[in-house]
């Protein structure tokens, strides 16, 4: 009987997600390199999705508070397609605390009679600031990112919820003698910058290696800030890899290697088995890297990641 159903329970928000459909079972033993530890592969074809929000009576925390107003204090161009937006609390509102790596849920009202559109952007500054900073890449088909880039100017008001997300660096849970490996692809650098700031402020003697993969120098956000932070960490190291470097990038010496970030590069920079790994990037990049890290001895409980 190929009929199947999957139920996902979100105990944090009190939501339920039910998927129904049919499955195909692959009885051949999976490729142990692509699927380490797997004994069977199952392909699930979704036919119906049912989502119920805030229905569980028992939850891990209080329901999220309503959105509050924040004012754009300034905007800074970080690269050809990335801008950092700094938001300060509007009158009567306090900027809440957050963990380095968490994201800021915002909502934009386009004034078209439709419900506001919600998006989440990683906070690219560390806790303790009086402002929220999000660094946003302009996507050609991204309605919200285009709105932020094209229309949001100092003085503009947005609505935002409390910072959230389980992808975060808590230094008191990382052994001091264990190296921290931060790996970002493109705009995936944003939560890692917040983590780097937190390391500098709270444990500057920590061994930390940051690896950033981007296309070229024109699409390299927060480069100067990252280099400055690494320079202030006695045991900090930075490796920049460009996949399509320009002539001027090579002449300026802004990159350490060419190609795409992979596990071979990471293994050259740090002992994979002992590292606490935090990585952020697109889905394909992350799934490949997570799989390869495990095959090289990384413990799954010490590999933390965020997809975008």
């Amino acid at each position: 009987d190929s009929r199947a159903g999957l139920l996902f329970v979100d105990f944090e928000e009190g939501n339920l997600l039910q998927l129904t459909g049919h499955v195909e079972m692959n009885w051949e033993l999976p490729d142990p390199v692509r699927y380490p530890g797997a004994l069977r592969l199952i392909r699930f074809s979704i036919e119906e999705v049912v989502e119920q929000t805030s229905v569980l009576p028992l939850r891990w925390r209080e329901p999220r508070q309503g959105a509050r107003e924040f004012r754009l204090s300034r905007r800074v161009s970080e690269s050809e397609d990335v801008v950092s937006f700094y938001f300060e609390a509007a009158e009567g509102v306090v900027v809440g605390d957050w963990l380095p790596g968490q994201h800021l849920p915002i909502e934009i009202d386009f004034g078209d009679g439709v419900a506001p559109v919600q998006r989440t952007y990683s906070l690219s500054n560390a806790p303790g600031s009086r402002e929220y900073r999000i660094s946003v890449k302009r996507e050609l088909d991204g309605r919200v990112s285009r709105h932020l880039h094209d229309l949001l100017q100092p003085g503009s008001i947005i609505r935002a919820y409390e910072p959230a997300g389980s992808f975060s660096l808590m230094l008191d849970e990382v052994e001091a003698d264990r190296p921290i490996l931060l790996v970002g692809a493109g705009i995936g650098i944003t939560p890692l910058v917040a983590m780097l700031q937190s390391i500098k402020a709270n444990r500057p003697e920590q061994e930390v290696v940051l690896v950033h993969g981007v296309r070229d120098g024109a699409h390299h956000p927060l480069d100067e800030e990252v280099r400055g932070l690494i320079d202030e960490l006695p045991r900090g190291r930075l490796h920049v890899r460009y996949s399509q470097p320009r002539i001027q990038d090579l002449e300026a010496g802004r990159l350490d290697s060419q190609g795409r970030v992979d596990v071979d590069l990471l293994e050259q920079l740090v002992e994979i088995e002992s590292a606490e790994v935090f990585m952020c990037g697109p889905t394909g990049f992350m799934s490949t890297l997570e799989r390869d890290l495990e095959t090289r001895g990384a413990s799954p409980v010490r590999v933390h990641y965020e997809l975008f």
Side-chain angles (χ1 to χ4, degrees):
D1 189 343
S2 66
R3 295 173 298 175
L6 298 177
L7 178 66
F8 298 90
V9 183
D10 176 2
F11 286 105
E12 187 171 357
E13 300 288 348
N15 305 328
L16 291 177
L17 178 67
Q18 180 181 345
L19 309 178
T20 55
H22 287 77
V23 298
E24 297 176 43
M25 179 77 77
N26 182 351
W27 293 100
E28 300 292 330
L29 283 179
D31 181 342
V33 176
R34 290 191 64 190
Y35 307 102
L39 301 179
R40 293 286 183 271
L41 293 183
I42 300 175
R43 180 182 298 276
F44 183 82
S45 299
I46 300 174
E47 296 176 355
E48 185 179 6
V49 177
V50 176
E51 182 179 17
Q52 295 179 291
T53 59
S54 301
V55 295
L56 293 181
L58 298 178
R59 305 180 192 176
W60 286 339
R61 66 174 177 80
E62 293 284 338
R64 186 170 65 178
Q65 296 180 350
R68 300 173 300 162
E69 290 189 344
F70 293 87
R71 180 182 297 105
L72 180 66
S73 59
R74 56 195 170 108
R75 48 181 290 164
V76 177
S77 177
E78 305 288 3
S79 71
E80 190 173 285
D81 55 359
V82 174
V83 171
S84 285
F85 299 90
Y86 293 78
F87 295 101
E88 60 185 9
E91 185 175 353
V93 177
V94 177
V95 172
D97 202 5
W98 68 95
L99 297 173
Q102 287 190 308
H103 56 252
L104 182 70
I106 69 170
E107 63 178 28
I108 301 295
D109 189 349
F110 291 98
D112 52 6
V114 181
V117 177
Q118 296 188 9
R119 292 290 187 272
T120 58
Y121 293 103
S122 296
L123 285 157
S124 56
N125 60 334
S129 173
R130 298 179 64 182
E131 296 177 305
Y132 290 136
R133 182 180 76 170
I134 58 174
S135 302
V136 181
K137 179 182 178 183
R138 189 183 194 278
E139 302 286 357
L140 292 179
D141 57 350
R143 187 184 184 192
V144 173
S145 70
R146 287 190 286 111
H147 175 86
L148 295 175
H149 274 246
D150 300 342
L151 299 177
L152 218 63
Q153 298 297 329
S156 298
I157 299 293
I158 68 161
R159 293 175 60 80
Y161 296 91
E162 291 289 337
S166 58
F167 179 67
S168 59
L169 169 64
M170 290 179 280
L171 283 172
D172 57 350
E173 296 183 3
V174 178
E175 300 169 40
D177 59 351
R178 188 179 299 283
I180 293 177
L181 175 61
L182 308 176
V183 186
I187 194 61
I189 190 66
T190 50
L192 308 183
V193 174
M195 294 180 183
L196 201 58
Q197 292 176 356
S198 181
I199 292 171
K200 175 195 167 187
N202 299 288
R203 196 191 286 177
E205 73 285 354
Q206 172 71 45
E207 179 184 358
V208 56
V209 178
L210 189 147
V211 180
H212 191 194
V214 293
R215 185 197 312 172
D216 54 38
H219 300 84
H220 189 171
L222 301 164
D223 180 33
E224 295 297 335
E225 180 175 343
V226 167
R227 292 180 188 275
L229 289 167
I230 289 291
D231 286 344
E232 295 186 50
L233 296 173
R235 303 177 67 198
R237 287 179 287 150
L238 171 67
H239 189 101
V240 173
R241 174 168 281 193
Y242 286 179
S243 59
Q244 301 175 37
R246 306 167 301 169
I247 296 297
Q248 54 265 48
D249 297 330
L250 298 172
E251 292 175 345
R254 302 298 288 179
L255 64 154
D256 299 293
S257 62
Q258 297 183 42
R260 297 189 180 278
V261 173
D262 55 23
V263 72
D264 291 330
L265 171 63
L266 303 183
E267 204 165 38
Q268 295 171 24
L269 299 171
V270 69
E271 185 178 310
I272 296 296
E273 293 183 5
S274 63
E276 195 84 22
V277 184
F278 296 85
M279 52 188 189
C280 182
T283 304
F285 167 80
M286 299 297 294
S287 59
T288 299
L289 202 54
E290 181 192 15
R291 177 198 69 208
D292 293 345
L293 282 168
E294 289 189 20
T295 62
R296 301 294 175 92
S299 169
V301 299
R302 289 201 292 269
V303 177
H304 319 271
Y305 58 87
E306 180 97 304
L307 306 175
F308 65 82

